[in-house]
Amino acid sequence: MAASGKLSSYTEAYWRDEYQVSQADTDLATGVILQEGNPVPVDRLAAAIINEKQAREQAIAAQLARQIAVYRPMDSYEVGQRLMFTELDMAEGEVIAKRSGNNSRYGAFEVVKVAFSGPAKPREFAAAMTGPHHLNRSIEELVSTGEEGYSGEEAVAAFGPLVVAKLNAVFEADRDMVPFADKWFLRELLPQVDAGYLNLAEAAIYEAGQPVTAREILARLELDVVGSEATQLFALNRALEADGRFDDLGGDGEQRWYLRALEPDAIFETPAVLANPIAASPGEFVGVTLIDVIEDLGDDLDELGESPRAKAGSVSFQLTFPHLYAGTMPILRGLVARLSDTASDHYPITITDRRRRKDYSVWVAPSRGFLCGLDELYEAANMTVGAELTVSVGEAPQTLVLEYAAPRSRRNEWLKAATAPEGRLVLEMKPATLSVRCDSDAVIIVEDVDGVAGLMTSAQAQNTALEDLIRRSFLELAKLSGQGLVHVKALYMAVNMHRRCGAAPICAHLTRQAAYDPMGEGLWAYDGALEGQTYESEDEMRERPLSNRTDRLRDQAV
């Protein structure tokens, strides 16, 4: 509760700018740990230091108040009397003069002139004034806390984070202290968890085939050590954390451990085919007819800000080669938020293949923007580039549902097929049968999977400008059409066999470059004679005045 006057430990400025962890503070924290006999959260140690410091200052101030008069406007003072002013950081002064005062509002009162040590000039204060005033209260209350200060729980809440940061820094350099999960313990009291116990922990996780809590592991180990369960869990967690075989997946106040050997590599290193992606940029113009195309493709790289699709708990997209090859799937931030409130960098969930009625254990990597570990599902479903997929949040916690339809035809169809001879993308029309429903404009059968992946990871592809990748892919696709027209969805899929790229940057390039003309229904034409020339205004992008084609579509840029 705020009151008048202030002691240093009741102010944020003290804890932020002046406070340094003393040996007495370290001893106090050690005493708290010894008293509890268990690891103690650092915020509780900080609270103990704050409370002790404030109690000590208050006791000193109270003792001083018994020796020196505490200034209150209601009291009378004599020349030569020493006073302590709670509103002046407990400054002391001596009354050097006294006179009568009178005010129509307050009536008769006295005025005392007080001299302070140092360069400060003497100041005058009211005395013997019986009217209401915020300083006219008990001495104990005046010296107990400070103006705009905090005490008790309010002080811990306000100053705790400042003390925690300084306490952690000191303890990290103290070999007698050991940390884990925002708790500290004494090294001499820490039970020893040797390699044999860790091997048993590894076996227990292998047997479970899923993340296991430290408490469940502890029950299997039967540690032959002295200490409470909390102490043993602390020691076990520290030992598991220090061993590279184990991975802490976090949890609701309790560690869950798994084995790195059982986790997808994509959790720890983004697959090469997904690396260095080209994402949408704010302010780019695209033709209005391309907005629906971008929405249909559903590329997460095109999301600027929070996605309304993800907020709805369901997203649809068309599968690109990089995700198919890496066994990954894009997942938007909003969908992650609906899926779990954990702050973990990665965690396992269950995804249900609704068509095949089978569950798969996959991994969410929020910081990398994808699900991974989908290789088995993709192989079993015989997924292909251009597959139309929908992912929604399941009814059970931490579950997703994957939906896709059967192909429109079970017969052989003439489809675009990709190979990569001599490090370049080659597209041909070949007969093939689909196992899942695909967008007819986007579907591409990849015959040389490793060859196309190698093309994507080559230094040449990574260093090639987007405009060159678009032109190269466009010309390769144009040869498959008698009119030389290319659908933007096919172009998007082909570019993504050179480098991971969103649909919006490709559409923005087509809209701005004079060499490309929209022909309607998602089809575009190319005129190499106009290569390198651009349209700057929205009107130019719509009218395309440099074009030689009279059958082009006038597509408003937005």
Side-chain angles (χ1 to χ4, degrees):
M1 180 182 73
S4 304
K6 56 184 176 181
L7 303 174
S8 61
S9 64
Y10 290 76
T11 66
E12 180 180 352
Y14 168 76
W15 294 105
R16 183 186 65 241
D17 303 327
E18 301 178 36
Y19 172 71
Q20 297 296 325
V21 180
S22 66
Q23 184 60 50
D25 295 334
T26 301
D27 293 341
L28 174 62
T30 301
V32 172
I33 295 172
L34 287 172
Q35 182 177 3
E36 296 205 10
N38 289 318
V40 178
V42 66
D43 56 357
R44 282 176 49 196
L45 298 176
I49 291 172
I50 293 170
N51 290 333
E52 193 278 336
K53 176 72 173 175
Q54 291 194 335
R56 182 154 39 89
E57 270 201 346
Q58 184 176 340
I60 293 173
Q63 182 179 2
L64 186 61
R66 289 192 291 270
Q67 300 170 354
I68 302 175
V70 175
Y71 169 73
R72 296 187 299 181
M74 63 187 292
D75 295 331
S76 296
Y77 305 104
E78 301 300 328
V79 174
Q81 187 174 1
R82 295 193 63 78
L83 301 179
M84 181 173 68
F85 294 82
T86 56
E87 284 203 322
L88 301 177
D89 289 343
M90 304 300 174
E92 294 181 45
E94 182 179 342
V95 179
I96 60 173
K98 179 179 178 180
R99 64 179 175 84
S100 297
N102 190 43
N103 183 285
S104 58
R105 180 178 178 183
Y106 298 108
F109 61 95
E110 298 175 348
V111 177
V112 294
K113 179 180 286 189
V114 178
F116 298 92
S117 60
K121 293 181 179 181
R123 294 176 56 180
E124 290 188 332
F125 298 88
M129 186 175 70
T130 57
H133 194 281
H134 67 279
L135 292 180
N136 284 338
R137 46 181 154 169
S138 70
I139 300 297
E140 292 76 10
E141 191 174 359
L142 287 175
V143 301
S144 65
T145 184
E147 185 177 7
E148 298 180 359
Y150 299 94
S151 62
E153 293 182 0
E154 286 184 343
V156 171
F159 312 140
L162 299 172
V163 180
V164 163
K166 296 182 178 184
L167 205 56
N168 279 334
V170 170
F171 284 174
E172 285 167 4
D174 188 343
R175 286 193 52 80
D176 293 333
M177 306 292 287
V178 289
F180 183 79
D182 295 326
K183 293 182 180 181
W184 288 92
F185 197 51
L186 300 177
R187 188 179 299 276
E188 63 180 346
L189 302 181
L190 186 69
Q192 296 302 307
V193 179
D194 59 27
Y197 287 127
L198 293 176
N199 291 338
L200 291 174
E202 180 183 32
I205 297 174
Y206 263 119
E207 182 178 336
Q210 62 184 13
V212 179
T213 67
R215 195 178 305 276
E216 291 169 332
I217 296 174
L218 184 63
R220 296 282 299 271
L221 297 187
E222 298 181 357
L223 290 178
D224 185 20
V225 295
V226 177
S228 65
E229 181 185 64
T231 301
Q232 292 183 30
L233 285 171
F234 184 87
L236 176 59
N237 280 320
R238 275 183 52 84
L240 293 170
E241 181 183 49
D243 191 313
R245 291 174 292 176
F246 301 95
D247 186 20
D248 179 8
L249 302 181
D252 297 330
E254 186 173 12
Q255 274 61 42
R256 294 184 307 141
W257 294 94
Y258 202 52
L259 298 173
R260 290 182 181 269
L262 301 179
E263 297 173 344
D265 293 338
I267 287 175
F268 307 104
E269 183 177 3
T270 299
V273 293
L274 296 174
N276 196 24
I278 302 172
S281 299
E284 287 287 356
F285 288 102
V286 297
V288 69
T289 62
L290 294 175
I291 294 176
D292 288 340
V293 173
I294 295 172
E295 184 71 19
D296 284 346
L297 291 170
D299 196 313
D300 59 304
L301 294 179
D302 296 328
E303 297 292 342
L304 298 175
E306 194 65 45
S307 167
R309 296 184 299 145
K311 285 185 176 180
S314 176
V315 293
S316 297
F317 61 95
Q318 294 179 15
L319 188 61
T320 61
F321 174 78
H323 279 299
L324 177 61
Y325 183 81
T328 56
M329 178 185 294
I331 185 166
L332 303 179
R333 291 189 299 272
L335 202 61
V336 172
R338 290 177 60 93
L339 185 63
S340 173
D341 58 1
T342 180
S344 176
D345 181 64
H346 55 274
Y347 52 92
I349 64 167
T350 297
I351 188 167
T352 299
D353 181 336
R354 176 161 289 178
R355 182 180 171 209
R356 299 177 59 250
R357 299 180 182 179
K358 185 172 181 179
D359 293 339
Y360 294 88
S361 178
V362 297
W363 290 76
V364 182
S367 63
R368 300 185 186 277
F370 55 66
L371 301 178
C372 55
L374 289 152
D375 310 71
E376 183 182 353
L377 187 157
Y378 284 165
E379 184 177 356
N382 198 21
M383 284 291 175
T384 191
V385 171
E388 298 175 322
L389 307 179
T390 297
V391 178
S392 56
V393 177
E395 295 182 359
Q398 295 195 322
T399 60
L400 290 175
V401 177
L402 173 65
E403 297 179 84
Y404 55 92
R408 294 179 176 84
S409 173
R410 297 285 185 179
R411 296 175 297 180
N412 266 6
E413 301 178 67
W414 285 92
L415 302 171
K416 293 181 286 291
T419 56
E422 300 179 355
R424 68 184 186 89
L425 183 67
V426 174
L427 296 170
E428 302 174 276
M429 298 299 293
K430 292 187 176 182
T433 302
L434 296 174
S435 298
V436 299
R437 181 167 299 180
C438 298
D439 187 303
S440 59
D441 296 310
V443 60
I444 299 178
I445 305 299
V446 183
E447 296 183 322
D448 183 9
V449 172
D450 291 332
V452 173
L455 172 62
M456 291 196 69
T457 57
S458 68
Q460 179 182 1
Q462 290 297 310
N463 294 324
T464 302
L466 177 60
E467 60 189 72
D468 294 328
L469 296 179
I470 292 175
R471 182 177 63 253
R472 191 179 302 171
S473 301
F474 195 103
L475 294 176
E476 187 63 27
L477 286 163
K479 72 182 186 182
L480 305 180
S481 165
Q483 297 177 307
L485 303 182
V486 172
H487 198 283
V488 67
K489 289 184 178 180
L491 180 61
Y492 162 77
M493 292 298 178
V495 170
N496 271 275
M497 292 181 185
H498 287 97
R499 185 172 169 188
R500 178 76 181 97
C501 182
I506 297 171
C507 292
H509 182 78
L510 296 179
T511 300
R512 188 175 289 278
Q513 296 300 312
Y516 301 95
D517 282 325
M519 305 304 295
E521 298 183 351
L523 295 172
W524 287 71
Y526 175 76
D527 183 351
L530 298 176
E531 183 63 43
Q533 299 191 59
T534 61
Y535 297 125
E536 299 301 328
S537 71
E538 297 171 60
D539 287 343
E540 285 184 335
M541 294 177 203
R542 180 187 67 247
E543 297 299 330
R544 313 192 84 78
L546 299 178
S547 176
N548 295 315
R549 302 191 67 111
T550 59
D551 55 347
R552 67 185 182 278
L553 175 72
R554 282 170 172 76
D555 194 13
Q556 179 63 50
V558 293

